[in-house]
Every structure is written in structure tokens, then in C-alpha cells.
Amino acid sequence: MFYTRRRGRCRPRRNAVRLTAWSTSGDVPGFRMIRPCIAVWLLLAASAAAQTTGAISGRIVDAQSSKPVGGATVVAASPSMPGEENARTDAEGEFEIGLLPPGVYTLNVQAEAHQSFTQDGLAVHAGRTIRVYLSIDPEKVTGAPFRFIQEPPVLPVTSAQTGAVISREQLELVPYGRDERSFEPAAASAPGVLPRPLGLEILGSPASGTRYRIDGVDVTDPASNRQGRRLVQQFIQEVNVDGAALGASYGRVAGGVVQAITRSGGNELHGSAFLDWMPIELPRRTLRYNLAGGAELGGPLARDSLWFYGGFAPVLMATRSGVQTEYQYIGKLTLRPAQGQLLSFAAISDDFSLHYLGDLLDRTAQVEAVTGWHRQGSDADSLQARVQVAHLAELLGRHRFAWGAEGVRDSAGNSSRWYGGAFAEDTWSPVQNLFLDGGVRLERDELVGKTDFLPRVGVAWDFSGRGVSRAYAFVGRFFESPELASQRRTREHQLAAGVQSQIFRDVVAGLDYVHKDFRDAPDGRTSYDGATLSLAKPFSASSLLQASYTLSSLQGSGAVAADAPNVIKLDGAYAYEWDAKTTATLGTSLRVIEGSPWQATMDVRAGVVRALTNPYVLTVTADVLNLFDRERGGTPPLAGRFSARLSF
């Protein structure tokens, strides 16, 4: 009931409408243009190109003749976006609607001499594009064949890049985090990601090579390269992990990017009050007053034109040495001054950003501009700026050519530095279902005093031809940005390859391999080889699953403490509708990691969701953390946590 998301389906406006649809994820637009189409992103924000918006592209054809339908109007609407965005198909039936905030979208299509239709349930995530192929019936149908509607594919078949998305439903159903339910513990559910004392390690790279960001603003501590800002999960819409095979637009990274996308306002008033309390660690019989409570509220100041969202959460963490209190807050205003224009301002725990999204130049240019300032304590901060331009064109196939430049000013105490980078990248589809990506990046860090040349090449092939499978390969070079106190930085050469297939509905099975060579790593590591077998199902039909097994080898000049040859992960959840007003939920997170010594931990969450007087909903959960009560390798002991949330 409360956790059941409807799968994407086609809802006819007229009884005679029949529709065939499928979608693919990727970064290669499918426009077929008479002249080059220019798309511009001005991203004055973080140092890597982790995007904060997504897109929907596709092709519309006549169901009887299979000919493209030109001049059709396609309208996208979502509770996560003020107003609507629209596009018209060209002569080849191609369309694209970009700069969409993450959320679930509905497409409405109107075409002359054809029946209108609506397709809902299209999930858009940050930094990802879904591509839909639609077959619609003419106005007068004579003997049109019956067509089955298949599940929309979820694989990014047009790209070699790998990663994971942790949705809001997964954050609510599966227990992530111990002393504090921040967003970064959820990233450890992604294959190849391991939590370490200095941060998250992604696919064998040192923790210093991982960048953290919130809504596109890099919140990595410039003095230590550790995570510099935490935010409670109640304020988060989704968490994105960008891992292997990152394109030339990604800079200052030698591992991956972990990004949190926060919630926003809407046309309907919504909010909640919440409390997390971990009172006791059972083996020690010690009370732990780890508390995180607060409230959040969002809604319209003017429907479809001005939204607000705000939240406040004091977080109290008790340790043996004392009590630490942190006050987290978020405030966002979203303004839609005109059709195709969006402006938002955000303040998140002393970090500030200004975003602009808009269609310019007769809708041939899409502009995303963000200014950001990250503050780290009282004596460190980071000013960030970026510009990126993308061109869509056709020459012996379809091309997406992108180029850009960026600059960052970091300071901590008496130390400071400038960083600058520039890149050029082309994604080319010479034939159907084959995508080639090549790019080069130039970087210069004031601390190092030299310019680095970073080439990256990838290829992806949809061997099913239906967007439900891919084989890919990638080779590239990466450099991390050194912390301000040192000029030492990890250099990384990466080779990645894999095959993935959607074996049943939205269940994806994959086999992925990554090889990395390191230079100047802080712990002396020199190479990494890892193969991952995975099975994943996003939340649908009241359940979710994310399972992986990674077999790896981390080599170095001596024994490398971070080596974890065998890693098993299993995250799953199920929501059972007990009656019309009550839903019972159960979620679990299992980790088995071979190290010195082996570590096996299991966290479990059981909950009840109860509908009260409309529109109020009460959610009560109980977590058991480290159910096996194994404290090897510094794992905290068995503990219990209780949570409650009243929402509307």
C-alpha cells in the first residue's frame, strides 16, 4: 500500500489506444538533426561532473506503418518539478526533454491524426538519461495488432559507466548507518564500495580518491580529502554512486563520486516529524543517548511557480569521551519564472548554492548553472566553478560532443591552492546499438605544479537490441586531488569490462571486471583486480534486492591492510500490506568481508506503517545492528535503535 510503486505503464486516453514502449538508460541522445543542436550546461559547482538532473529521450513511430511520427508534442510532468516541460518530435520522431529533477515522471503525447496517450512511472535519476521507444495508433485503427507492454529496461546500455542509485524507498526500508543515519553509509551497499576509517574505498582505490557531494556541491574536506558534510537521510531523495569507467568530464577523482540529492518542495504541502534513538549496546549494558530528531516541511508558495522546502535536525552522538551535538539544517526555494526556466537557492548546514536550469536559443540550448561555497569548520572552505557545453550533431552516425572547463579555490588555515581543469569528449553511435566514447582531460593543481593529460575511451554494445543488456569496455587515466597538507596524490590507470542483462522484468544480473594500476598510493598499493557478480532489483511490487559477490586482489610493496579478497553483500526489503491501513515492512543488510580478521555483520529493520486520520501516516521501526554480535576488526557491538515518523 504505502510502499508499493506502480510500474511504468501506458494509460490510454481513448479505449482504442494501444502502445508499445521500452526505455534504455544512457547519456547518448537520439536526436536526428538537420543541423547541429547545441546544448549548454554552465555548472558552477563541484569539481567533478556528477549531474544533479536527468533526462528523457526517445522516438515515436506509427504502430501500423512503423514510420516516425514528426511534430508530436511530448509533455513531461512530475511531483518533483514545478509546471511541465515539453518537446516536439523532429522528422525522425526523435525528442528529448532534459534538465529534469530526479523523480517519477508521466509523459503525455499528442500527435496529429493519432490517438493521444499517457505513460507514467518513468523514474528519472540524477546524471542518467532514460530513452523510450513509443509506438502509437493512428486516429482510425483498422485491424491493429494487439501488443504486450514490457517492463522498461533499467540498464545504461549506451554507456560503459557503472554505479548505483539508492532510492528513498531503500533508505527507508533498509538500515544504513549506526550512530547517525547519514547518506554515506548507504553508498556502501553498491558493489565494490567498502567503508574504511578514512572514508569509502571504491573498487580498490584509496579512500582519499573518493569525492563527496550534496546537490552538486563538493563537500569533501579540502584539508584531508575526507567527507566534510553529513546530512540525515530524512532530507535525502536519493544517493548516487558513480564508480568505474567515468568519462572525461570527471576530475579530481581516482576512485568515484558519492552524491546525495536532497528533497524539494511541491504543489502539495508535505512534511514530517521524526526521531531516531539508539539507547543501549546490549553486551556492554551501556545506555547510548544517540539521538537524531527534527522536522521537515515542503510545499507551494505559489502553485507551479514557487516552492519551498526546509528542515532542521539536531544530532546528538554520545561516546566514552563525551557528547557531541551537531545541528543540521536545510532550506531551499525553487522558482519557475517562465516556461522552461528554473531557479533555486539552497542552504545546507553552512553550505550555499544557487542553481539555474533553462532552455535557451529556441530550445536548442539547455543551461545548468550552479554556484557553490562549501565551508569546513571555521578555517577551511572551497569555492567551486564549472562550465560545460554539449553539442548534438550527425556525421556518419549520431554524436554528442561535450567540452568544458572548471576552477576551484580551496583553503584551510594558512594553506590554499587553485585547481583548474578542461576536457573534450565525444560519444558516437556509428550504427544502431553501438556506442563509442572518447575523451581527454587536462588538469593542473597548484600544489603539484604540473599539467596532467588524462585520456579515456569506452565502448558499449546493446547486444539484445531492446535495451535490456549490454557488453562494455573502458580504459582511462585518473589523478586524485592531493590534500592541502601534502603534495602526494594517487595516480590510477583503469581498465574495466563487463556484461549485464535484464533476466526477468526489472531484475538485472551482471558480471563486471576492473583492473587498476596505482602510483604513489598512501599505503603502497600498486594494483587491483576485481570481478563482481551481481543481482539487483529496484523497488517495485513491494520488494527490492541488491546482492553482489566480489573476488579481488589488492597488491602492494608489502601486505596491504585494505585487501579484501572476498566480499559478499546482500540488501533486501519487503513491504506486506496487512490491511487497508496497515503495512508491515522488513529490511536487512548483510556484509561478509574477508580481511584481517574476517568480518560478518547483519543489520535488520522491522517496521509498521499505519494510516491515521487523513492525511497523516505514522511509521514506527526497530533496528537491530550487528545482529551476529561479532566485534572483530573494530566492529561495534550488538545494539538496538528505535525510530518514529509522523508524516503527511
Side-chain angles (χ1 to χ4, degrees):
M1 171 180 164
F2 304 106
Y3 284 98
T4 301
R5 173 186 290 175
R6 294 178 298 175
R7 297 192 185 96
R9 70 177 190 272
C10 302
R11 184 173 63 249
R13 288 292 182 89
R14 303 184 184 181
N15 294 334
V17 172
R18 285 179 290 275
L19 172 68
T20 302
W22 64 90
S23 67
T24 62
S25 298
D27 296 327
V28 181
F31 280 93
R32 184 178 179 89
M33 306 298 292
I34 298 177
R35 58 183 176 84
C37 175
I38 300 176
V40 181
W41 286 267
L42 297 176
L43 186 54
L44 304 177
S47 54
Q51 299 180 11
T52 60
T53 62
I56 301 175
S57 67
R59 190 170 190 239
I60 299 177
V61 299
D62 185 280
Q64 289 189 325
S65 66
S66 298
K67 294 182 179 180
V69 178
T73 300
V74 185
V75 180
S78 171
S80 64
M81 180 181 65
E84 299 174 337
E85 293 296 334
N86 62 76
R88 293 182 67 85
T89 59
D90 62 12
E92 297 297 324
E94 298 282 348
F95 74 93
E96 180 175 290
I97 304 175
L99 301 180
L100 299 177
V104 179
Y105 282 78
T106 297
L107 283 186
N108 175 254
V109 181
Q110 300 280 343
E112 184 178 356
H114 288 81
Q115 301 180 32
S116 63
F117 67 87
T118 296
Q119 177 171 333
D120 58 12
L122 294 175
V124 174
H125 298 292
R128 291 158 174 82
T129 298
I130 60 173
R131 181 166 172 80
V132 295
Y133 292 79
L134 307 176
S135 175
I136 62 174
D137 284 326
E139 188 73 34
K140 296 181 179 180
V141 181
T142 57
F146 178 79
R147 293 176 174 83
F148 292 98
I149 301 170
Q150 64 185 48
E151 289 289 335
V154 296
L155 280 173
V157 297
T158 62
S159 171
Q161 181 173 320
T162 64
V165 176
I166 297 91
S167 65
R168 180 169 178 82
E169 293 91 348
Q170 188 169 341
L171 292 174
E172 292 178 348
L173 291 170
V174 181
Y176 295 121
R178 185 180 175 91
D179 292 337
E180 178 184 355
R181 289 177 60 188
S182 185
F183 70 90
E184 73 282 354
S189 65
V193 180
L194 291 176
R196 299 299 187 189
L198 298 181
L200 296 175
E201 292 189 354
I202 299 179
L203 296 171
S205 298
S208 57
T210 301
R211 309 298 295 188
Y212 303 89
R213 60 188 68 251
I214 299 176
D215 288 344
V217 176
D218 195 320
V219 296
T220 310
D221 186 347
S224 64
N225 275 3
R226 301 186 186 184
Q227 182 180 0
R229 178 74 64 211
R230 286 177 168 79
L231 195 64
V232 294
Q233 295 173 14
Q234 286 84 352
F235 298 158
I236 303 300
Q237 178 67 27
E238 67 180 35
V239 178
N240 298 286
V241 180
D242 297 324
L246 304 182
S249 59
Y250 285 80
R252 303 184 78 188
V253 58
V257 177
V258 176
Q259 176 172 222
I261 302 297
T262 62
R263 303 190 70 191
S264 62
N267 279 328
E268 302 296 333
L269 189 67
H270 61 87
S272 69
F274 53 88
L275 176 67
D276 294 332
W277 177 37
M278 189 172 76
I280 192 171
E281 290 181 343
L282 297 181
R284 298 175 182 173
R285 298 292 192 272
T286 57
L287 291 176
R288 293 287 302 275
Y289 294 99
N290 284 3
L291 296 172
E296 42 114 21
L297 182 67
L301 295 176
R303 189 175 180 85
D304 279 333
S305 60
L306 181 60
W307 288 358
F308 77 94
Y309 179 78
F312 179 72
V315 178
L316 183 150
M317 291 179 288
T319 63
R320 294 180 179 179
S321 59
V323 177
Q324 178 182 356
T325 303
E326 178 185 3
Y327 298 97
Q328 300 183 7
Y329 64 88
I330 179 173
K332 297 174 70 174
L333 282 176
T334 304
L335 173 66
R336 186 173 183 261
Q339 173 73 26
Q341 311 293 319
L342 205 62
L343 185 68
S344 64
F345 172 78
I348 302 176
S349 297
D350 296 337
D351 294 338
F352 302 93
S353 63
L354 181 64
H355 293 235
Y356 168 76
L357 306 175
D359 297 319
L360 301 178
L361 302 179
D362 194 24
R363 302 184 66 85
T364 62
Q366 295 179 324
V367 177
E368 180 176 356
V370 185
T371 60
W373 178 33
H374 167 60
R375 297 181 61 191
Q376 189 69 46
S378 60
D379 63 346
D381 64 359
S382 177
L383 295 174
Q384 309 159 10
R386 176 179 176 84
V387 58
Q388 176 175 313
V389 181
H391 307 263
L392 307 179
E394 182 175 306
L395 178 63
L396 301 177
R398 294 190 177 92
H399 292 261
R400 179 185 184 273
F401 178 72
W403 56 272
E406 60 185 292
V408 179
R409 170 71 172 180
D410 292 332
S411 63
N414 296 325
S415 301
S416 64
R417 59 114 172 270
W418 285 96
Y419 163 86
F423 76 93
E425 184 176 25
D426 182 34
T427 302
W428 175 36
S429 178
V431 295
Q432 190 175 7
N433 303 321
L434 180 65
F435 306 90
L436 307 175
D437 184 271
V440 62
R441 183 177 186 86
L442 298 177
E443 294 185 343
R444 185 173 182 85
D445 195 305
E446 185 181 12
L447 286 179
V448 180
K450 60 179 295 187
T451 301
D452 300 307
F453 178 78
L454 308 176
R456 298 168 192 175
V457 178
V459 57
W461 173 42
D462 175 13
F463 56 85
S464 71
R466 298 181 294 110
V468 296
S469 61
R470 69 166 177 170
Y472 69 90
F474 172 87
V475 61
R477 191 180 185 206
F478 299 84
F479 279 57
E480 75 176 23
S481 184
E483 59 188 58
L484 282 173
S486 172
Q487 295 184 3
R488 185 170 184 172
R489 58 177 179 163
T490 302
R491 310 177 188 186
E492 177 182 308
H493 294 263
Q494 181 183 128
L495 171 67
V499 59
Q500 299 171 346
S501 183
Q502 201 161 323
I503 57 176
F504 178 73
R505 293 186 176 178
D506 53 357
V507 179
V508 177
L511 178 61
D512 304 275
Y513 169 76
V514 175
H515 170 79
K516 295 182 178 181
D517 290 318
F518 303 107
R519 292 182 58 188
D520 300 326
D523 58 356
R525 67 185 72 189
T526 57
S527 68
Y528 170 84
D529 289 274
T532 298
L533 181 64
S534 62
L535 190 67
K537 174 187 177 298
F539 185 79
S540 63
S542 301
S543 64
L544 68 88
L545 174 67
Q546 191 165 325
S548 65
Y549 167 67
T550 300
L551 175 66
S552 65
S553 174
L554 185 61
Q555 301 293 325
S557 54
V560 182
D563 187 22
N566 293 276
V567 177
I568 298 174
K569 297 183 179 182
L570 176 61
D571 292 34
Y574 184 76
Y576 175 73
E577 186 174 335
W578 190 271
D579 57 38
K581 291 188 175 182
T582 308
T583 299
T585 67
L586 181 65
T588 184
S589 174
L590 172 68
R591 304 286 183 269
V592 179
I593 303 174
E594 180 184 359
S596 299
W598 278 77
Q599 298 181 40
T601 60
M602 183 175 183
D603 301 335
V604 178
R605 171 175 295 167
V608 175
V609 183
R610 176 72 178 179
L612 306 177
T613 303
N614 189 47
Y616 298 101
V617 176
L618 177 64
T619 303
V620 179
T621 62
D623 298 348
V624 179
L625 308 176
N626 191 10
L627 181 64
F628 298 151
D629 192 24
R630 296 187 177 182
E631 300 182 43
R632 295 181 177 181
T635 303
L638 174 68
R641 176 173 58 207
F642 302 96
S643 303
R645 184 176 76 249
L646 180 64
S647 58
F648 64 92

